[in-house]
Amino acid sequence: MTASQLIRQKKYSDIGIIEMADKHYYQPAFTLVGAGTYSWDNTSRSMASVMPREATWIKDKAVKLNPDNNTVVTEKSGEISYDYLVLSAGVVYDKSLVPGLEETWDKGVVCSNYTDPRHTWEVVKNFKGGTALFTQPTTPIKCGGAPQKALYMSESAFQKSGVRAKTTLVFATNGTVIFGIPEIKKTLMEVVDRKDIDLRFGHELVKIDAGNQIAWYRMSEHENNYNTKDGVEIEKDGELTGIHFDMLHTAPPCAAPDFIRNSSLASANKWLDVDLHTLQHNHYPNVFGVGDVADLPTAKTGAAIRKQVPIVVDNIDRLIRENQIGTGYYNGYSSCPLVTDYGKMVMAEFDYDNNFTPDPMLKYMLIRDSSKEHWRLWILKKYILPYLYWNKMMKGKNV
Ligand SMILES: Cc1cc2nc3c(=O)[nH]c(=O)nc-3n(C[C@H](O)[C@H](O)[C@H](O)COP(=O)(O)OP(=O)(O)OC[C@H]3O[C@@H](n4cnc5c(N)ncnc54)[C@H](O)[C@@H]3O)c2cc1C
């Protein structure tokens, strides 16, 4: 998106993109695949087809950054020099951070929309009842709302398949509330009540015992349970509390890729150290960051990237032309389209200060209050956003 905007809107041509993958995925649709309502094949396109034609694709893996010499070392293509560098390498999944995850990942009754939503749908479709546990690690994860979306959609799927009455749904998280934006929290608690979900806050996931189907947690000082159900089997082992599951959906622990994490460009938190508002690196003025890899106190989403990229593009353009960055200001905007049922969605849009900031364009879809469930928001999620992603965002057009 950044390269496309630099080419299309600012008319630059000397752009290289170091990208190692063959395919590009529209990950927001993974949630729908995991609910059996979107085709897996429609979530990806070949990388060649999304690369801007005017840019040079260096199909390689970046392995080291030398920001003092303005170079990136690659696995096969040697050392590549730059005048300006935009880092947008996303996250890597580090399952070793939760012992037991690696061995059980995407196998049997353990599933994740993050890595194989087709397996999630198989597990949900074939579920015969018991405890369906939805959880997440304590690291930052991309789209922090995605584990919750899997929870709500699975409940709806269980209604359809007739196993709901035999099922207890538990959502255990290290968080303190269901959502940090008051308007969204209100709606989601109504959804939780309607769907009769057992909520467990202040639960730090520490290990998975796949053999015995138990997820083990350490309680934080925020431990707080809501709508606790009797049928859930609880184990104790010293300070740890185990929740028995018959199905587990979780997100993988996330970290910045090693070549960024282990470089002088990393922050104390080991993510890319950029200014919160200009997205310029805090020590290297010709380096910028966008997307999940950046150390920004907002949700890691594609929606956030949509607002970040124009700031970075303008800053690079001004640096080249005027030797100073622009006045654009990223306010931490991010968005989480929370599907709550087949045909229903709530649109959480917010900034660094957790203000609810709905897009004024929603009124053209006759959506007056996007903090409430609406069928038109579902249409937006399932049909309009994928279209805008492939045809506008990726092509460098304004969205
Ligand atoms: C289940 C799920 C649901 C989601 N739902 C939503 C949603 O509803 N709305 C929303 O806005 N967002 C959602 N997201 C989040 C969204 O998909 C991400 O925030 C977004 O894709 C991040 O883009 P990125 O460019 O930062 O990273 P990525 O899309 O991960 O891209 C990083 C790229 O860098 C390449 N790369 C990495 N390391 C190297 C290297 N060393 N050398 C060369 N290339 C490298 C990778 O191959 C990859 O192509 C969801 C994500 C998931 C998993």
Side-chain angles (χ1 to χ4, degrees):
M1 183 181 177
T2 311
S4 294
Q5 286 198 8
L6 281 166
I7 292 163
R8 192 182 182 103
Q9 301 187 10
K10 306 291 179 188
K11 310 296 174 206
Y12 291 104
S13 57
D14 195 5
I15 295 174
I17 302 179
I18 305 173
E19 168 58 69
M20 59 188 178
D22 291 315
K23 278 189 175 179
H24 181 76
Y25 289 90
Y26 178 63
Q27 300 166 49
F30 288 5
T31 300
L32 301 178
V33 176
T37 182
Y38 201 90
S39 147
W40 170 250
D41 292 344
N42 287 344
T43 62
S44 68
R45 294 197 181 171
S46 74
M47 192 61 81
S49 72
V50 297
M51 279 286 160
R53 237 169 296 151
E54 300 81 348
T56 306
W57 178 11
I58 302 153
K59 189 168 187 309
D60 207 337
K61 180 174 182 178
V63 288
K64 193 166 182 249
L65 299 168
N66 291 322
D68 293 315
N69 301 327
N70 295 332
T71 63
V72 179
V73 181
T74 59
E75 218 164 51
K76 296 178 297 206
S77 321
E79 203 160 343
I80 295 164
S81 64
Y82 60 82
D83 295 311
Y84 302 91
L85 176 68
V86 180
L87 288 163
S88 57
V91 305
V92 288
Y93 296 145
D94 187 354
K95 295 175 204 124
S96 69
L97 294 174
V98 177
L101 260 193
E102 193 86 66
E103 302 84 289
T104 181
W105 197 258
D106 285 337
K107 293 193 190 95
V109 297
V110 178
C111 58
S112 177
N113 279 346
Y114 284 76
T115 46
D116 190 354
R118 290 166 300 179
H119 182 60
T120 304
W121 180 234
E122 283 303 310
V123 173
V124 169
K125 210 171 49 180
N126 296 316
F127 192 62
K128 299 284 180 275
T131 300
L133 177 61
F134 296 80
T135 196
Q136 58 195 72
T138 52
T139 64
I141 51 172
K142 50 177 145 184
C143 193
Q148 255 183 75
K149 302 178 201 175
L151 165 76
Y152 303 137
M153 293 311 295
S154 299
E155 195 275 341
S156 300
F158 297 152
Q159 295 278 5
K160 281 191 175 188
S161 65
V163 297
R164 179 63 188 92
K166 292 188 281 178
T167 303
T168 304
L169 290 104
V170 181
F171 182 50
T173 158
N174 187 37
T176 53
V177 287
I178 195 82
F179 211 90
I181 317 303
E183 292 85 342
I184 304 296
K185 177 182 160 192
K186 183 171 178 295
T187 302
L188 292 181
M189 286 310 289
E190 287 163 14
V191 173
V192 163
D193 287 340
R194 182 177 82 226
K195 290 180 176 274
D196 197 18
I197 290 163
D198 174 327
L199 290 184
R200 299 178 187 233
F201 298 112
H203 279 51
E204 293 173 16
L205 183 65
V206 291
K207 62 178 178 182
I208 303 287
D209 175 352
N212 293 309
Q213 299 190 181
I214 301 172
W216 287 98
Y217 297 90
R218 186 176 294 112
M219 297 305 126
S220 79
E221 73 265 33
H222 308 298
E223 186 194 356
N224 176 23
N225 298 335
Y226 177 84
N227 193 27
T228 307
K229 296 283 166 200
D230 291 339
V232 182
E233 271 180 59
I234 301 292
E235 310 269 342
K236 288 280 177 193
D237 182 5
E239 56 162 357
L240 300 185
T241 299
I243 302 180
H244 176 270
F245 59 82
D246 298 293
M247 165 199 155
L248 175 72
H249 179 279
T250 186
C254 296
D258 281 349
F259 78 105
I260 292 174
R261 196 181 158 74
N262 300 330
S263 76
S264 56
L265 292 159
S267 64
N269 299 325
K270 295 287 174 196
W271 294 92
L272 183 67
D273 188 14
V274 291
D275 182 90
L276 265 52
H277 303 298
T278 66
L279 306 166
Q280 187 177 36
H281 193 270
N282 281 320
H283 303 294
Y284 295 95
N286 61 341
V287 177
F288 292 83
V290 289
D292 293 353
V293 77
D295 193 356
L296 302 171
T298 192
K300 296 182 182 303
T301 66
I305 295 171
R306 178 183 144 229
K307 296 284 184 178
Q308 293 166 4
V309 167
I311 310 278
V312 168
V313 166
D314 185 54
N315 281 341
I316 293 176
D317 181 41
R318 300 280 191 113
L319 263 185
I320 293 171
R321 288 191 297 108
E322 300 164 11
N323 210 23
Q324 60 177 17
I325 61 168
T327 53
Y329 181 94
Y330 173 61
N331 69 356
Y333 173 91
S334 192
S335 152
C336 190
L338 289 142
V339 282
T340 52
D341 212 328
Y342 292 99
K344 284 186 189 163
M345 197 186 98
V346 175
M347 185 67 145
E349 293 178 278
F350 46 91
D351 60 16
Y352 281 137
D353 299 321
N354 281 353
N355 295 310
F356 179 49
T357 55
D359 193 321
M361 298 291 276
L362 289 174
K363 69 172 180 291
Y364 296 112
M365 283 187 74
L366 303 179
I367 299 161
R368 273 185 297 277
D369 184 358
S370 49
S371 74
K372 299 275 187 298
E373 292 172 286
H374 204 299
W375 67 269
R376 283 202 175 91
L377 287 168
W378 171 269
I379 302 292
L380 179 72
K381 165 86 187 166
K382 189 166 172 179
Y383 303 104
I384 301 176
L385 290 177
Y387 172 83
L388 292 175
Y389 185 81
W390 294 115
N391 299 295
K392 301 273 184 184
M393 266 179 77
M394 296 299 281
K395 301 238 155 74
K397 297 178 188 168
N398 288 332
V399 270

